[in-house]
Amino acid sequence: MLEEEIKDVRDRNSKLQIQVNQSSVEAVEQAQQKQEEAEKKVRTIQCQYNKLQENAETVKEKADQKIKSLKKEMKEKTSFWRMLYMVFVVFEIIKSTMVQNDLFACIKVLIRVWCRYVEWVIRPSELNIWGEKEYFSTEWSWCLRVMAIIIVVGVVIAGEKFVLKKIEQYRRVWDKYSMRLMVVSLEMIIVSGDVMRRFMPINLVVLFGIINIAVMEIRIYYRRANEIY
């Protein structure tokens, strides 16, 4: 009897072991199936994401190309109208005799000053109390020539440095508003030059330079103030 019971127990144990092994295999198969389904979903989502990204890049490229074409078209139109406006300003300058006379007057003054300087360097002289020229001796004339040339060279070098410094300062604050102000001031001077000369006996070219230089100096001052504070 005891042997039969032991045998029955062994049979039941073997059956239980078989069932456990079968359930483990089924669990592993189910886990593998779920993992495969999850991986398949991930691949599907990845493919959808890649397609959406490609579509987004395509749309972005098309939008960038359209923006570039619009900018190019706007730039061409702006350049055309600027050129047309500049041609109009040039015709106004040609039409305005007052501006032409003042421009030629500035050129004549520069040429006259240079000619007088060259003439003085060739033969240094001074005016006496009667307004007559008195020429210096040869030794003193050479000394005056050397000093005059040194002074002129020094003034030219200092002026060049000053002008280059101002150009750099103007370049930093120069923008489209500065260009517009320059064109507008030029147009105002050309159109109302005759009226201005009645109230202000000043050269119109000099007035144009004073206006624009004053505006640029004010902008440079405010720029420095903003940088300090």
Side-chain angles (χ1 to χ4, degrees):
M1 294 292 293
L2 183 59
E3 291 178 356
E4 291 180 357
E5 291 179 358
I6 292 170
K7 185 178 180 181
D8 292 335
V9 170
R10 288 179 177 175
D11 292 336
R12 286 197 297 271
N13 289 336
S14 62
K15 290 180 181 179
L16 288 172
Q17 186 65 36
I18 292 169
Q19 291 177 357
V20 168
N21 292 333
Q22 289 178 351
S23 61
S24 299
V25 172
E26 291 176 356
V28 170
E29 290 178 353
Q30 290 178 358
Q32 290 178 350
Q33 187 177 1
K34 289 180 180 180
Q35 185 177 1
E36 290 176 356
E37 291 177 355
E39 290 177 354
K40 186 177 181 180
K41 289 181 180 180
V42 170
R43 288 194 297 270
T44 304
I45 294 171
Q46 186 68 32
C47 291
Q48 293 176 354
Y49 173 77
N50 292 333
K51 289 181 180 179
L52 291 174
Q53 191 173 8
E54 290 177 358
N55 293 331
E57 289 178 355
T58 303
V59 172
K60 184 180 178 181
E61 289 178 357
K62 290 181 179 179
D64 291 339
Q65 291 177 357
K66 189 174 182 179
I67 291 171
K68 287 181 180 179
S69 62
L70 290 174
K71 286 183 177 179
K72 185 178 180 180
E73 184 179 357
M74 184 65 67
K75 189 175 180 181
E76 291 177 353
K77 290 182 179 180
T78 304
S79 300
F80 172 76
W81 287 111
R82 284 180 180 175
M83 290 296 297
L84 187 63
Y85 189 77
M86 292 303 295
V87 171
F88 173 74
V89 172
V90 171
F91 278 113
E92 286 293 329
I93 293 174
I94 296 172
K95 184 179 178 181
S96 177
T97 56
M98 188 68 68
V99 175
Q100 293 178 16
N101 293 334
D102 289 346
L103 180 61
F104 291 143
C106 290
I107 297 173
K108 287 179 181 178
V109 168
L110 295 175
I111 294 174
R112 190 181 299 115
V113 170
W114 177 252
C115 291
R116 288 181 178 179
Y117 170 76
V118 172
E119 182 183 357
W120 185 89
V121 170
I122 294 173
R123 294 193 66 187
S125 61
E126 64 177 352
L127 297 177
N128 56 22
I129 58 176
W130 294 283
E132 298 175 350
K133 284 186 178 182
E134 289 186 357
Y135 296 98
F136 298 103
S137 62
T138 304
E139 294 80 6
W140 184 237
S141 296
W142 279 107
C143 182
L144 291 175
R145 290 189 185 101
V146 172
M147 287 191 295
I149 293 173
I150 292 173
I151 291 172
V152 170
V153 172
V155 170
V156 170
I157 294 173
E160 183 181 1
K161 291 182 178 179
F162 177 78
V163 170
L164 292 176
K165 183 179 179 181
K166 284 299 178 182
I167 290 174
E168 181 63 23
Q169 292 177 353
Y170 289 174
R171 187 185 64 81
R172 293 178 181 177
V173 297
W174 182 267
D175 54 10
K176 59 182 180 180
Y177 300 105
S178 303
M179 184 66 183
R180 291 176 182 175
L181 177 64
M182 185 179 70
V183 175
V184 170
S185 61
L186 179 60
E187 183 65 24
M188 289 178 62
I189 289 173
I190 293 172
V191 174
S192 59
D194 297 334
V195 179
M196 288 183 181
R197 288 297 295 270
R198 293 176 185 174
F199 298 97
M200 295 184 300
I202 184 174
N203 190 293
L204 297 179
V205 178
V206 175
L207 179 62
F208 171 74
I210 291 173
I211 292 172
N212 287 273
I213 290 173
V215 172
M216 296 301 291
E217 290 295 333
I218 291 171
R219 296 190 65 182
I220 291 171
Y221 172 77
Y222 278 107
R223 181 185 177 88
R224 289 177 179 174
N226 292 330
E227 289 177 353
I228 291 173
Y229 295 104

